[in-house]
């Protein structure tokens, strides 16, 4: 019983570190980086008022949003949606591949679980839309769910490529087969896995309605779609929820294709248990840095591409991502059979 | 024949993929100089407002900048062209006849900035050129009623007009 309590406490502490120590500051940082980076690309100044070089603009915006509307208008569908959303959120934090220490939960199907979360999240959005009782909300919800589910197929197929290569869907096995340097990454171990990595990343962009494929949750949908009437505090939760999707997907992409949490070889030789803890933090930092690069790349692309319409995104998924992922799965299977795997 | 068309389709598909990728790459590279501010034309073009207020004064604004409207009511003939042409229907003009001078007395000339879109059509049609754009551009108010600009001379009663008529010859003598 004592060991159970101790392990439970340990899990709670680790989750708290992931949420408060890693995710929350990273969210603040990325909010600033996105705004300043987009401003630089578009010859604007960007946030400049609060703090040095506008660094605390996000904090000011957060306070303003929280003060805007009291949380008195609770309806059952809203509550249900947040509940399902947060359940997905908290449960997926347990299997984020942020390092060997912060990975609380690792099964034979770890790599496939994010897809289940996406399916649940899109289902919850569909429920919310259907319960709002307005035609425009129904159609908005169906659009969002359609885009998520269409992108689920190529993501699943590209994950199967990793499974074919590694022989397992377990994070530890996937991390072991990779290394710190580029040529040990799954992404660069075969041309088909490279293709699969790109497809995986792009399908995540479509799945979480991230820019430039965010027409389904754009401002016109804010006034007529699923998120109609969401303002003030509820908007804060919506933003955090959406950013978490991006964060989770980038971390998963790093884990599956980008060398996972592997540090350089010499660092893990002959260290004590106290150094092990600091090493696990180093692992998490490495994963975060890689995810940061992926996110900045996405911000860059979203500033130079026009926002795609929902039917364009679904077309793109069916006609480009699905064939390419099928090709990479077939190719990777043959590549492995001929002794390269 | 069939096999040839399949290859042609695959070629066309790969070609469209290549073009999509290439156009994305090209557009991505266009913005890179802006990121680092290389070259004179790639610096920030926006200005700080409202805090700190931009260093530009009203005189630095472009010649044709369209600020708040001003009507010189002494020159205004009260023809009502501005009100007729206004697409936002924001100008209310009411006039009284002035038998003695033959001109019209502009009793009410209200511009509702809650509706005005500052398109400048009224200024273009104004024949005596009494209506002009100023360079004033800050027009925020706390009350809706304060959004009105009033240039009218006010209504004049018949007795008052008769009094003025009697005073006019005396002024001319002086």
């Amino acid at each position: 019983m004592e060991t159970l309590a101790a392990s439970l406490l340990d899990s709670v502490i680790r989750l708290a570190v992931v949420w408060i120590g890693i995710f929350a500051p990273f969210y603040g940082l990325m909010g600033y980086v996105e705004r300043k980076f987009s401003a630089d690309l578009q010859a604007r100044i960007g946030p400049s008022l609060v703090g040095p070089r506008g660094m605390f603009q996000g904090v000011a915006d957060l306070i303003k949003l929280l003060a805007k509307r009291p949380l008195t208008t609770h309806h059952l569908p809203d509550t249900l949606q947040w509940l399902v959303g947060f359940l997905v959120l908290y449960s997926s934090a347990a299997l984020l591949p942020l390092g060997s220490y912060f990975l609380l939960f690792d099964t034979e199907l770890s790599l496939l679980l994010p897809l289940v979360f996406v399916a649940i999240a899109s289902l919850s959005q569909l429920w919310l839309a259907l319960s709002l009782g307005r035609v425009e909300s129904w159609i908005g919800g169906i659009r969002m769910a359609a885009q998520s589910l269409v992108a689920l197929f190529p993501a699943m197929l590209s994950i199967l490529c990793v499974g074919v290569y590694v022989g397992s869907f377990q994070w530890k096995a996937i991390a072991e087969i990779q290394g710190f340097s580029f040529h040990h990454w799954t992404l660069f171990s075969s041309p088909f896995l490279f293709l699969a990595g790109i497809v995986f990343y792009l399908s995540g962009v479509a799945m979480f309605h991230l820019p430039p494929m965010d027409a389904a949750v754009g401002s016109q949908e804010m006034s007529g779609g699923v998120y109609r009437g969401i303002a003030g505090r509820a908007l804060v939760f919506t933003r955090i929820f959406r950013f978490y999707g991006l964060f989770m997907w980038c971390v998963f992409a790093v884990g599956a294709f980008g060398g996972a949490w592997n540090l350089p070889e010499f660092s893990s030789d002959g260290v004590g248990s106290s150094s092990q803890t600091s090493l696990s933090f180093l692992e998490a930092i490495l994963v975060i840095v890689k995810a940061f690069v992926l996110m900045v790349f996405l911000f860059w692309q979203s500033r130079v591409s026009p926002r795609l319409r929902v039917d364009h995104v679904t077309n793109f998924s069916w006609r480009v991502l699905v064939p390419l992922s099928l090709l990479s799965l077939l190719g990777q299977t043959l590549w492995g059979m001929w002794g390269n795997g | 024949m069939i096999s040839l068309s399949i290859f042609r389709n695959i070629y066309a598909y790969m070609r469209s993929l290549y073009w999509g990728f290439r156009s994305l790459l090209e557009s991505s590279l266009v913005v890179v100089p802006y990121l680092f501010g290389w070259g004179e034309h790639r610096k920030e073009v926006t200005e700080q407002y409202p805090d700190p207020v931009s260093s530009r004064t009203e005189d630095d604004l472009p010649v044709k900048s369209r600020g708040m409207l001003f009507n010189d009511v002494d020159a205004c003939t009260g023809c009502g062209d501005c009100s007729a042409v206004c697409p936002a229907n924001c100008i209310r003009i009411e006039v009284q006849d002035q038998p003695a001078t033959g001109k019209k007395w502009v009793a009410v000339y209200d511009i509702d900035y809650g509706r005005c879109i500052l398109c400048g059509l009224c200024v273009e049609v104004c024949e005596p050129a009494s209506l002009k754009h100023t360079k004033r551009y800050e027009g925020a108010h706390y009350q809706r009623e304060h959004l009105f600009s009033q240039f009218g001379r006010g209504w004049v009663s018949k007795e008052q007009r008769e009094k003025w008529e009697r005073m006019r010859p005396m002024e001319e003598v002086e």
Side-chain angles (χ1 to χ4, degrees), chain B residues 155-171:
Chain B
W155 296 102
V156 180
S157 63
K158 203 178 173 190
E159 295 76 32
Q160 184 69 28
R161 195 183 300 284
E162 280 165 3
K163 190 176 161 192
W164 285 349
E165 293 299 324
R166 283 198 300 277
M167 285 164 74
R168 187 183 300 276
M170 291 161 72
E171 278 174 12

Side-chain angles (χ1 to χ4, degrees), chain B residues 57-157:
Chain B
T57 61
E58 290 183 0
D59 295 333
D60 293 327
L61 289 172
V63 184
K64 290 188 173 177
S65 59
R66 302 198 294 260
M68 300 304 191
L69 291 161
F70 175 75
N71 189 21
D72 180 8
V73 80
D74 289 332
C76 180
T77 58
C79 63
D81 282 353
C82 48
S83 175
V85 80
C86 180
N89 199 14
C90 72
I91 300 176
R92 178 169 156 244
I93 174 164
E94 288 182 33
V95 291
Q96 281 178 297
D97 285 332
Q98 260 184 310
T101 58
K103 273 180 75 178
K104 286 195 171 153
W105 177 267
V106 182
V108 176
Y109 194 98
D110 289 357
I111 299 173
D112 182 1
Y113 285 113
R115 301 177 68 101
C116 181
I117 55 172
L118 298 169
C119 63
L121 286 178
C122 49
V123 175
E124 277 181 36
V125 298
C126 185
E127 210 164 313
S130 67
L131 193 62
K132 286 193 183 71
H133 280 292
T134 60
K135 301 232 168 147
R136 198 165 59 82
Y137 54 87
E138 287 178 316
H141 290 286
Y142 285 103
Q143 303 286 327
R144 255 182 109 94
E145 299 81 51
H146 297 165
L147 285 172
F148 282 90
S149 265
Q150 295 177 323
F151 301 103
R153 292 165 181 252
W155 296 102
V156 180
S157 63

Side-chain angles (χ1 to χ4, degrees), chain A residues 177-255:
Chain A
I177 213 162
Q178 305 186 75
F180 174 74
S181 57
F182 287 97
H183 63 280
H184 287 136
W185 291 7
T186 317
L187 191 66
F188 299 113
S189 55
S190 89
F192 301 106
L193 279 169
F194 184 74
L195 194 62
I198 292 171
V199 169
F200 183 77
Y201 183 62
L202 287 177
S203 57
V205 174
M207 210 183 281
F208 292 103
H209 317 101
L210 302 169
M213 302 186 184
D214 59 344
V217 291
S219 53
Q220 72 272 32
E221 293 291 329
M222 279 282 194
S223 53
V226 181
Y227 291 142
R228 203 195 139 143
I230 287 184
R233 295 179 190 187
L235 199 58
V236 177
F237 295 121
T238 313
R239 283 184 185 168
I240 292 176
F241 188 63
R242 288 192 57 207
F243 179 78
Y244 183 79
L246 171 63
F247 174 76
M248 183 180 97
W249 202 255
C250 287
V251 169
F252 273 113
V254 168

